[in-house]
Amino acid sequence: MTTATTPSGSSGSRTGVPETPEEPIDTAVLGPAPRRRPVGHGFRARVLTPYGMLAPAIILFLAFMAAPILYTVVLSFQRVQVQGLGLGSGARTTVFAGFANYVAALDAEFLASVGRVLLYGLILVPTMLGLALLFALLLDSKRSRATRFSRLVIFLPYAVPGVIASLLWGFLYLPAVSPFYFITEALGIDAPTILSSGLIVFGLANIGLWGGVGFNMVVIYTSLKAVPSDIYEAARLDGCSEIQIALRIKVPIVFPALVMTGLFSLIATLQVFAEPTTLRPLTNALSTTWSPLMKVYRDAFTRDDLGSAAATSVVIAVVSLALSFVFLRIVQKRAFGQED
Amino acid sequence: MHSIRRGIAATVAVAALALTGCSATGGGDDGPVALDYWAWAPNIDKVVDIWNEQNPDIQVTVQKQDGGDPVITKLLTALKAGSGAPDLIQAEYQKIPTLVSSDALADISGDLDDSVEGTFAEGLWSSVTLGGDAVYAIPQDSGPMMFYYREDIFAELGLEVPTTWDEYAEVAAAVHDSDPSRYLGTFSANDAGWFTGLAQQAGASWWSIDGDAWGVDIDESPTQKVAEYWGGLVEEGVIDNKPMYTPEWNAGLNDGSQVGWLSAVWAPGVLSGNAADTAGLWRAAPMPQWDADAPATGAWGGSTTAVTTQTDQQAAAVEFATWLNTDPEAVAAMADTMGIYPAATEVASDALSTSPDFFSNQDDFYDVAAEAAASIAPFTYGPNVNVTFSAYNDEFAKAAEAKTTSAFLDALAAMQTITVDDLEKTGFTVE
């Protein structure tokens, strides 16, 4: 676009070289003369260009993120009011609702759905990250062979969309059509019904697990690969075993990656929707308000109560934000302390 | 840079084309009138083709939709947005009060021929007028409930076809005793329309209009009787409690573990699709009765053709809707190619003389259906059926898991409370 986008200053600050002075540097210092513009114009270009480059992203963000969020907040303060029988044209009007939708949103049904999702997260997140870490360490260990193939196989379930995965698992969970139940029956084992109210949360966590382990493993594995090998050499010279290296060196080094994957998993847990929605028609154990987002969906599209749905969405968004913030605050020191 | 600019130009051009495309369907001053029709019934486009051939001035385009619930959501969204709604829509009977109170359906009484009313049974006509002078839709098909059973298994076990609910309970126990994996049916907590039909048969009418106020009578004796009956069967374990329309249920229809199905007149389509191997083994019978001296049945499903408030071609739309649902050729084509049970039964009587292929072993299929259709009990739907139906799903799912009669009655009480609370919260007058 313009040639003024790469002044020497910007690259200087990245590599830790002291801040470039505002005054144009004497050409003698830098060798060949950079193409320069008048002082005023150069300043404007330097300040405005980044914003110009960011503009598409900012516009898209405003149009597709900020505006809908704002609209959701507006909707959450509105409700539909009808008169008498409510039939015929003009029977429905939209009125200001104050905080009524928020009060209604925080009902026992919502709290119960949050409780279920927390239990789901409690089962899913530690198991998923534990397995991801284990697989990453195993793939990274010197002794493992066929790492590329194994990595692909572990990652592959992530490529299956949640709805498809849920349908596949739904078939496996249904006793009459499941090969799993066919085998246990043939062996004379009385297998428990996963689609029952007691076990359904494990069934859902299992679906999430298959989809999530591979992705998180790749993130952790990548950060392991970034570790310079002389650290391991030093450790081996000090007499560390492979397990000690894994526990004392690799795990602390990938901790920031674990924090990040943990945070993503936490947010994903709060937003679980596709799996229980897909399984719901197959069982009596899942209600239409099993997870908070399912309640939002039911209120908006089954009950046609957009105000309540919007209020619940805002509550979920604020809670997610607060949780992420608190979580990061707690682990920040531990995770990123060494960089400060 | 150039390619980006070209891309933007192309996008703008496409958007402009789309916009003009939208407005072109609405206007019709020159050239034929173009009507959009949202429908989900299979093969309805083939029936509409007949109209398009005969009426070059009014061309109807069918836009296939997902089904009963999603299409209503889509329509209400389009109406809120102010554009994008079709001229005509296929709407189920129970959705009409909701759609009318959302101002989605046009009152077509002004454009409608007076003779149309006489074509339909009184019960069906009252569901499209809501008891007033306005007409919000024209009945298309109806779903009188019937009892389907495996004739071969009944013969093998030496069982009589139950004619009352007491007999049904006995037969259900006998079927289950013969083989623990066999059931005479399932209590499906996922199908609110099915349970509503059973309650309707028992004499319930969940909503009522009294002057300027709505009445809600869900937790009343007729429906309590039905809930208690099914809760008892599930508690005893002689009836399955799994949802219908799952791969497991489909497998059950095929392998003979589901020996009976309380369904509607459209069941042959579902059975032939899900249990093709059992063709010729099923038989249709009237529903078991609470009172054998006063036979009654409920309706499950059935839909209408309605004109939306967003159309600017109301007269043409009404003309087409009238033809589709009352013209002998159209109604016969609907019965033949779509496999539905037209609301205008008498008009379709010729087409309905031969049994569906799946029931080729039973000559009197449509006689049984006609008898059922004639005994459909009156029932009024309310403006928040969606809330009540979703409450049914949640509350009866819990009850079906708990497997106790008292849980079934609690579920019914919860449905009543949720329905009334929702009406009051929205501002309806509830008596």
Side-chain angles (χ1 to χ4, degrees), chain A residues 162-230:
Chain A
V163 173
I164 312 282
S166 309
L167 276 177
L168 291 172
W169 279 106
F171 270 86
L172 293 176
Y173 290 163
L174 282 171
V177 290
S178 164
F180 169 72
Y181 284 97
F182 178 76
I183 292 168
T184 52
E185 204 168 300
L187 294 173
I189 304 166
D190 198 14
T193 316
I194 298 166
L195 289 176
S196 63
S197 29
L199 293 179
I200 189 76
V201 66
F202 292 97
L204 289 168
N206 177 49
I207 301 175
L209 193 67
W210 278 81
V213 166
F215 174 78
N216 291 307
M217 179 207 64
V218 167
V219 174
I220 297 168
Y221 183 73
T222 312
S223 79
L224 269 179
K225 277 289 157 205
V227 177
S229 58
D230 43 2

Side-chain angles (χ1 to χ4, degrees), chain A residues 79-82 84-90 92 171 174-177 196-197 280-284 287-288 298 301-306 308, chain B residues 73 76 80 100-103 189-190 209 211-214 241 243 246-248 251 386-387 390 393-394 397 400-401 418 425-429:
Chain A
R79 67 184 183 86
V80 170
Q81 174 75 45
V82 303
L85 280 180
L87 297 179
S89 62
R92 258 165 207 243
F171 270 86
L174 282 171
V177 290
S196 63
S197 29
R280 207 187 69 74
L282 303 183
T283 171
N284 291 322
S287 64
T288 52
R298 185 204 64 178
F301 298 111
T302 310
R303 289 192 167 180
D304 199 25
D305 184 355
L306 282 177
S308 286
Chain B
T73 307
L76 293 177
K80 265 179 210 142
V100 170
S101 90
S102 303
D103 199 17
N190 258 350
I209 297 176
D212 213 20
W214 284 99
N241 68 338
T246 67
E248 190 172 25
N386 42 355
V387 172
S390 103
N393 287 342
D394 282 343
E401 277 284 281
I418 292 168
K425 188 186 147 207
T426 320
F428 288 99
T429 313

Side-chain angles (χ1 to χ4, degrees), chain A residues 125-141 144 146-159 208-226 254 257-258 260-262 264-265:
Chain A
V125 177
T127 322
M128 180 169 69
L129 293 186
L131 281 177
L133 180 64
L134 180 71
F135 287 143
L137 289 173
L138 286 176
L139 286 180
D140 192 52
S141 93
S144 58
T147 30
R148 284 186 142 197
F149 175 75
S150 314
R151 206 170 55 198
L152 183 71
V153 167
I154 301 170
F155 182 73
L156 212 56
Y158 175 70
L209 193 67
W210 278 81
V213 166
F215 174 78
N216 291 307
M217 179 207 64
V218 167
V219 174
I220 297 168
Y221 183 73
T222 312
S223 79
L224 269 179
K225 277 289 157 205
V254 298
L258 276 177
M260 197 184 74
T261 49
F264 285 166
S265 311

Side-chain angles (χ1 to χ4, degrees), chain B residues 120-138:
Chain B
F120 303 101
E122 206 179 313
L124 293 179
W125 191 252
S126 75
S127 7
V128 296
T129 58
L130 304 180
D133 294 329
V135 178
Y136 295 106
I138 301 176

Side-chain angles (χ1 to χ4, degrees), chain B residues 177-210:
Chain B
D177 283 347
S178 76
D179 179 346
S181 69
R182 269 185 188 161
Y183 293 101
L184 189 58
T186 185
F187 181 87
S188 180
N190 258 350
D191 297 277
W194 173 77
F195 183 76
T196 312
L198 293 177
Q200 178 177 9
Q201 185 204 22
S205 183
W206 287 356
W207 287 268
S208 57
I209 297 176
D210 184 11

Side-chain angles (χ1 to χ4, degrees), chain A residues 24-34 36:
Chain A
I25 304 156
D26 194 53
T27 46
V29 181
L30 290 168
R36 270 192 284 125

Side-chain angles (χ1 to χ4, degrees), chain B residues 300-377:
Chain B
W300 182 15
S303 60
T304 67
T305 311
V307 179
T308 72
T309 45
Q310 219 178 64
T311 182
D312 49 9
Q313 299 291 348
Q314 184 168 319
V318 172
E319 198 185 330
F320 165 72
T322 307
W323 173 85
L324 180 66
N325 298 306
T326 61
D327 182 86
E329 191 183 354
V331 176
M334 282 204 292
D336 262 350
T337 59
M338 292 164 61
I340 60 162
Y341 191 68
T345 320
E346 271 174 50
V347 182
S349 57
D350 284 345
L352 293 175
S353 56
T354 42
S355 299
D357 286 347
F358 199 79
F359 282 80
S360 49
N361 58 319
Q362 185 175 7
D363 294 336
D364 64 346
F365 181 91
Y366 281 116
D367 296 336
V368 176
E371 209 176 300
S375 66
I376 293 181

